[in-house]
Structures are given as structure tokens and as C-alpha cells.
Amino acid sequence: MKNNSEWLKVVGAAVFEVMWVIGLKHASTMWEWLITVVAIIISFYVMISASTKLPVGTVYSVFVGLGTAGTVVADMVLFGEPFKLMKLVLVVILLGGVIGLKMVTKEAEVKGES
């Protein structure tokens, strides 16, 4: 069960990653830049925290994959990026790989457990 809370941390870190990536492109005021920097700090802190209990390579892959997918979707939904079916298909393939990585990560690989 503790393992699931660590994966939730990775998902939360990816949400903050989407925020700071959007901030890097769209921030124009001091407050927007401050929020972007805070999102970077939170994102990496939470991801690093999860990687102390989970395999770091899998954590990073899931983090980046979810962040990439979230950023692509956010661009289309929030900022009028043109919808392209092929882009969505590729995001689904990416998410399939991320889910696959999580599924093949054995419980025994979790640090501190035997």
C-alpha cells in the first residue's frame, strides 16, 4: 500500500511539471515567474522523494512521460494548439509505455522491502 502512495507522488510531481513547463512558455509577470519557479521546486522535490523508495529510472520515465502527455493535452485544451490525431495517437502510445514500465516494476525492486 505504501508503494501506491509513492506512485501518487510521481503523478503529483508530473502535474507540477506540466504547470512549470506551461509557465516557461507563457509567464510574463513577476508573479507568474514566481509560480513557475515554485512549481519547479515542488515537482523535483516530490519526484526525488518518490525515487528514494522506487526505482529511479522508472520514476523518472513515468514522471517525464506523464508530464509530456499532460503538456501536449494542456496546450490543446488551454492554449488553442491545433488538434492533430497523430499527436494524440503518439501521446496514447507514450502513456502505454509509461503504464507498462510501472506494471513491470517488481515489488521487490522497491527500496527497503524484501
Side-chain angles (χ1 to χ4, degrees), residues 30-82:
M30 183 63 132
W31 285 110
E32 290 170 342
W33 280 109
L34 181 62
I35 291 168
T36 300
V37 169
V38 169
I40 291 170
I41 292 167
I42 292 170
S43 176
F44 280 98
Y45 176 80
V46 174
M47 181 196 55
I48 290 167
S49 171
S51 70
T52 63
K53 300 272 191 319
L54 299 169
V56 70
T58 305
V59 167
Y60 186 69
S61 297
V62 170
F63 168 76
V64 170
L66 291 175
T68 301
T71 302
V72 168
V73 171
D75 263 352
M76 285 191 268
V77 172
L78 300 174
F79 301 105
E81 179 74 23

Side-chain angles (χ1 to χ4, degrees), residues 2-113:
K2 180 151 175 79
N3 193 15
N4 287 336
S5 66
E6 298 303 319
W7 284 112
L8 283 175
K9 285 182 185 179
V10 176
V11 172
V15 169
F16 279 95
E17 180 186 18
V18 171
M19 290 171 55
W20 66 256
V21 168
I22 289 170
L24 289 177
K25 182 174 182 182
H26 298 284
S28 59
T29 68
M30 183 63 132
W31 285 110
E32 290 170 342
W33 280 109
L34 181 62
I35 291 168
T36 300
V37 169
V38 169
I40 291 170
I41 292 167
I42 292 170
S43 176
F44 280 98
Y45 176 80
V46 174
M47 181 196 55
I48 290 167
S49 171
S51 70
T52 63
K53 300 272 191 319
L54 299 169
V56 70
T58 305
V59 167
Y60 186 69
S61 297
V62 170
F63 168 76
V64 170
L66 291 175
T68 301
T71 302
V72 168
V73 171
D75 263 352
M76 285 191 268
V77 172
L78 300 174
F79 301 105
E81 179 74 23
F83 174 82
K84 294 182 181 163
L85 182 60
M86 185 51 73
K87 191 182 276 191
L88 193 58
V89 167
L90 292 170
V91 167
V92 169
I93 291 170
L94 175 67
L95 288 175
V98 166
I99 292 167
L101 274 174
K102 194 240 181 253
M103 290 174 65
V104 299
T105 301
K106 298 176 186 144
E107 293 296 319
E109 292 180 34
V110 176
K111 295 176 185 169
E113 294 184 12

